Amino acid sequence: MTDQPSTTDPRQSARSWPDVPGLLYGGDYNPEQWPEEVWAEDARLMQEAGVNVVSLAIFSWALLEPREGTYEWGWLDRVVEVLHGAGIAIDMATATASPPPWFSRAHPESLPVTEDGTRLWWGSRQAYCPSSTSYREAASRLAGAVAERYAAHPAVRMWHINNEYGCHVAHCYCDASAAAFRTWLQARYGDLDALNTAWGTAFWSQRYGDWEEVIPPRASPTWRNPTQQLDWWRFSSDALLELYRAERDAVRAHSDLPITTNFMASRFKPLDYLAWGREVDLVSNDHYVIGEDPAPEVELALSADLTRGLARQAPWLLMENSTSAVNWQPRNLAKTPGQLRRHALSHVARGADGIMFFQWRASRAGAEKYHSGMLPHGGTDTKLWREVVALGAELAGLAEVTGTPVAASVGLLWDYESWWAVELDSHPSQDVTYLAAVRQVYEALWRKGVTVDFVHPEEDLGGYDLLLAPSLYLLTDAGAQALDAHVRTGGCLVVGPFSGIVDENDHIRLGGYPGALREVLGVRVEEFFPFAAGVQHALSEGGSGRTWSELLHLDGAQAVRTWADGPLPGTPAVTRHRHGDGTAWYVATTLDDASLGGVLDDALHEAGVAPAAPVPAGVEVVRRGDRLFVLNHTGEPVTVAGTTVDGGGAAVVQGG
Ligand code: GLA
């Protein structure tokens, strides 16, 4: 390729998946960290490993534009040719993930500010304010320049906008952000009266008389207005989404190739990825297990199923995971034998049509030099390299899985606004948190071999026999009506504690908790009785509850479990309500795992939901297309669906 931009029309038909046959396999490629003579070896080894795609130029801004408006394409042109020569497709990044020092020095107002007013310097990465005009303009310009230069190159098959938006700076509290927040609020509320009503500013003399008085929830003597905080989460997600849109549109002006940006589902709270999922051509996700999680494969599966939900059940791409240890946990555990393979196959089973890693070649310098790569520091005579090569070969043999649907008839209700709202401060108990509630219910089903889809309460719930709402604190009228309709028309619903409590402004629904769900659950709650830290109380039917209890009256429902002791002996802890043609269960505490499993067994039975296959403990099963994926996370051999799988092994069974 020459240094001249191409004059051919790069536009092809719009697509939602890159033109690469079979499952994608590869990783982030950062050739600028290595001398040029290494690149040919990289390409050769990529071929050996079965790599068919790499993400390129994610952090290349400083090299591509060493001075404002001066581009140096030569080195990237040469890398592109090396990859093209080896038949490796390119997921070309816009190189905007981290502005270079010259940019930050020239535009110091673009540096982000924390809630206590500290300005963050350059010297790490991602040091920009999401509402900075100078950053947005510079990033969009570079994105457009990259797209213009490479859109017509046959090796380039998709675009990678920025990188993990919000990873380090999800909220910026500077004056530019304050101005953007006010503009966002004006669009939401129209006038200050509406804002004052929504925010409940009659409380604590908070009434605003002038838009200029409205600021981000900066550090303040005590609890900041909860609705202001909730709107701040909404605004911050939208501010970053606007940045994404600006870059995407700059790329789209030159190319119709698929465009994505990598998400961080499941643990990342600041971005409303359900909204973001509508703005990308294909959903891609980065997932790293927490090594010290007692069951990392459960959290991985949750992330994969959630990502499929963000993709509205379309195939998605695992843009990053690790071959072994990462560098950013307190203790970075290496993957145990078989884990790399099982993790990759679990993602594929749950809808991924590609497995990629951070990064191709483990770095020699910089903050991530202890992060594993596909090609480790030790080179090719290593266990890790052999596993990477074996995985490439195995995935190549699974090409027929691409595009096939994942079987699930249980929907787990997921809502970012509810997550933001339930974890605001000054609540009845800090122990009622979103992910913990979701994880417990999710894990119970994972252990039963039941696959779930993640779905928003206001989206299509029609295909689900059973809906689970482990934590739905904030619920709109439309959401509540959809759940009611699901049950009335014969569906089953299981609701967890502290759900249906507030409306979209975080105002309590009056007349008894859980306001939005009182009727469907057939209960009325007078008062919450959270427990002290670490306390649990017994249930009359056996088992126990922790965290939470409620002074609950039956209003059509029947008691299924009752408190034996604690603050409310004799009152119901779990209820069941026949409503229309269906059934709604209310679990008004955090049950011990076995008791929760029992309640879910009853609900699954009632809803007629069967597992993908009956499984022994520690074995994961998922049905995708005509294959049954069996992942044995135990150390012992198991037999599932007539197939014996070694300890730590996996099998993909046709038919199953
Ligand atoms: C994220 C980033 C990568 C890298 C990895 C390390 O996923 O996108 O650039 O920092 O984390 O785990």
Side-chain angles (χ1 to χ4, degrees), residues 296-309:
E297 56 276 4
V298 175
E299 199 270 334
L300 180 150
L302 192 161
S303 163
D305 286 339
L306 171 60
T307 306
R308 190 175 70 256

Side-chain angles (χ1 to χ4, degrees), residues 28 30 58-59 97 125-126 160 163-164 167-168 262-264 286-288 319-322 325-328 358-359 368 371-372:
D28 284 14
N30 297 303
I58 294 175
F59 291 101
R125 68 173 173 184
Q126 221 184 61
H160 184 298
N163 193 64
E164 290 190 342
C167 175
H168 305 297
N262 42 347
F263 297 171
M264 294 171 281
D286 297 350
H287 184 265
Y288 294 91
M319 184 66 87
E320 292 180 26
N321 76 132
S322 66
V326 299
N327 64 302
W328 44 264
F358 176 84
Q359 60 179 328
E368 295 183 321
H371 195 295
S372 58

Side-chain angles (χ1 to χ4, degrees), residues 397-456:
L398 287 175
E400 282 170 17
V401 170
T402 56
T404 57
V406 176
S409 57
V410 178
L412 195 151
L413 298 165
W414 178 267
D415 177 34
Y416 286 93
E417 299 210 343
S418 220
W419 186 356
W420 299 335
V422 77
E423 294 182 357
L424 290 173
D425 42 21
S426 63
H427 274 194
S429 170
Q430 65 174 25
D431 297 334
V432 178
T433 57
Y434 189 77
L435 278 188
V438 170
R439 162 84 182 244
Q440 196 200 12
V441 167
Y442 181 89
E443 182 156 353
L445 291 172
W446 185 99
R447 296 198 179 284
K448 295 177 195 303
V450 173
T451 308
V452 306
D453 283 347
F454 283 76
V455 60
H456 187 270

Side-chain angles (χ1 to χ4, degrees), residues 243-301:
L243 269 188
Y244 163 77
R245 285 199 197 104
E247 280 200 42
R248 178 198 61 191
D249 295 349
V251 169
R252 187 55 88 218
H254 300 282
S255 167
D256 279 343
L257 291 175
I259 296 178
T260 192
T261 186
N262 42 347
F263 297 171
M264 294 171 281
S266 62
R267 299 185 296 267
F268 195 66
K269 177 176 166 184
L271 297 190
D272 181 348
Y273 283 136
L274 281 163
W276 282 66
R278 297 186 184 287
E279 305 275 347
V280 293
D281 294 329
L282 67 136
V283 165
S284 61
N285 194 47
D286 297 350
H287 184 265
Y288 294 91
V289 291
I290 300 295
E292 292 175 88
D293 187 322
E297 56 276 4
V298 175
E299 199 270 334
L300 180 150

Side-chain angles (χ1 to χ4, degrees), residues 173-512:
Y173 297 77
C174 74
D175 288 342
S177 297
F181 186 38
R182 285 191 283 271
T183 304
W184 184 93
L185 290 166
Q186 281 160 355
R188 182 174 175 91
Y189 294 112
D191 59 39
L192 270 182
D193 282 348
L195 178 140
N196 278 307
T197 304
W199 286 17
T201 57
F203 181 78
W204 276 358
S205 183
Q206 290 173 347
R207 187 168 183 81
Y208 295 99
D210 187 307
W211 280 104
E212 291 301 310
E213 294 162 7
V214 180
I215 56 171
R218 291 173 173 152
S220 194
T222 185
W223 303 299
R224 288 152 283 188
N225 180 298
T227 317
Q228 176 194 18
Q229 294 192 60
L230 179 58
D231 276 344
W232 179 245
W233 285 91
R234 290 173 170 139
F235 158 77
S236 298
S237 176
D238 283 357
L240 282 163
L241 186 54
E242 233 182 273
L243 269 188
Y244 163 77
R245 285 199 197 104
E247 280 200 42
R248 178 198 61 191
D249 295 349
V251 169
R252 187 55 88 218
H254 300 282
S255 167
D256 279 343
L257 291 175
I259 296 178
T260 192
T261 186
N262 42 347
F263 297 171
M264 294 171 281
S266 62
R267 299 185 296 267
F268 195 66
K269 177 176 166 184
L271 297 190
D272 181 348
Y273 283 136
L274 281 163
W276 282 66
R278 297 186 184 287
E279 305 275 347
V280 293
D281 294 329
L282 67 136
V283 165
S284 61
N285 194 47
D286 297 350
H287 184 265
Y288 294 91
V289 291
I290 300 295
E292 292 175 88
D293 187 322
E297 56 276 4
V298 175
E299 199 270 334
L300 180 150
L302 192 161
S303 163
D305 286 339
L306 171 60
T307 306
R308 190 175 70 256
L310 304 176
R312 272 74 180 185
Q313 311 308 320
W316 54 276
L317 172 59
L318 182 68
M319 184 66 87
E320 292 180 26
N321 76 132
S322 66
T323 55
S324 190
V326 299
N327 64 302
W328 44 264
Q329 295 174 16
R331 287 157 294 276
N332 295 294
L333 306 192
K335 289 198 176 172
T336 55
Q339 245 185 351
L340 167 64
R341 174 174 177 239
R342 293 197 310 276
H343 289 178
L345 289 177
S346 177
H347 283 294
V348 172
R350 296 174 188 279
D353 272 3
I355 300 294
M356 297 176 70
F357 296 92
F358 176 84
Q359 60 179 328
W360 161 251
R361 186 183 275 272
S363 295
R364 183 176 194 186
E368 295 183 321
K369 58 183 172 295
Y370 292 113
H371 195 295
S372 58
M374 298 176 84
L375 181 57
H377 293 146
T380 53
D381 187 12
T382 51
K383 145 193 138 328
L384 201 56
W385 174 253
R386 285 185 281 276
E387 285 176 348
V388 164
V389 172
L391 180 61
E394 180 164 16
L395 294 181
L398 287 175
E400 282 170 17
V401 170
T402 56
T404 57
V406 176
S409 57
V410 178
L412 195 151
L413 298 165
W414 178 267
D415 177 34
Y416 286 93
E417 299 210 343
S418 220
W419 186 356
W420 299 335
V422 77
E423 294 182 357
L424 290 173
D425 42 21
S426 63
H427 274 194
S429 170
Q430 65 174 25
D431 297 334
V432 178
T433 57
Y434 189 77
L435 278 188
V438 170
R439 162 84 182 244
Q440 196 200 12
V441 167
Y442 181 89
E443 182 156 353
L445 291 172
W446 185 99
R447 296 198 179 284
K448 295 177 195 303
V450 173
T451 308
V452 306
D453 283 347
F454 283 76
V455 60
H456 187 270
E458 288 170 58
E459 294 195 0
D460 184 8
L461 305 176
Y464 302 108
D465 300 318
L466 172 62
L467 288 176
L468 306 167
S471 180
L472 261 193
Y473 169 69
L474 180 154
L475 193 56
T476 61
D477 292 348
Q481 280 157 17
L483 300 190
D484 189 88
H486 165 79
V487 177
R488 273 186 191 285
T489 54
C492 188
L493 171 71
V494 180
V495 175
F498 210 38
S499 295
I501 303 297
V502 298
D503 64 15
E504 59 270 34
N505 291 326
D506 194 35
H507 293 193
I508 305 272
R509 292 177 177 277
L510 301 177

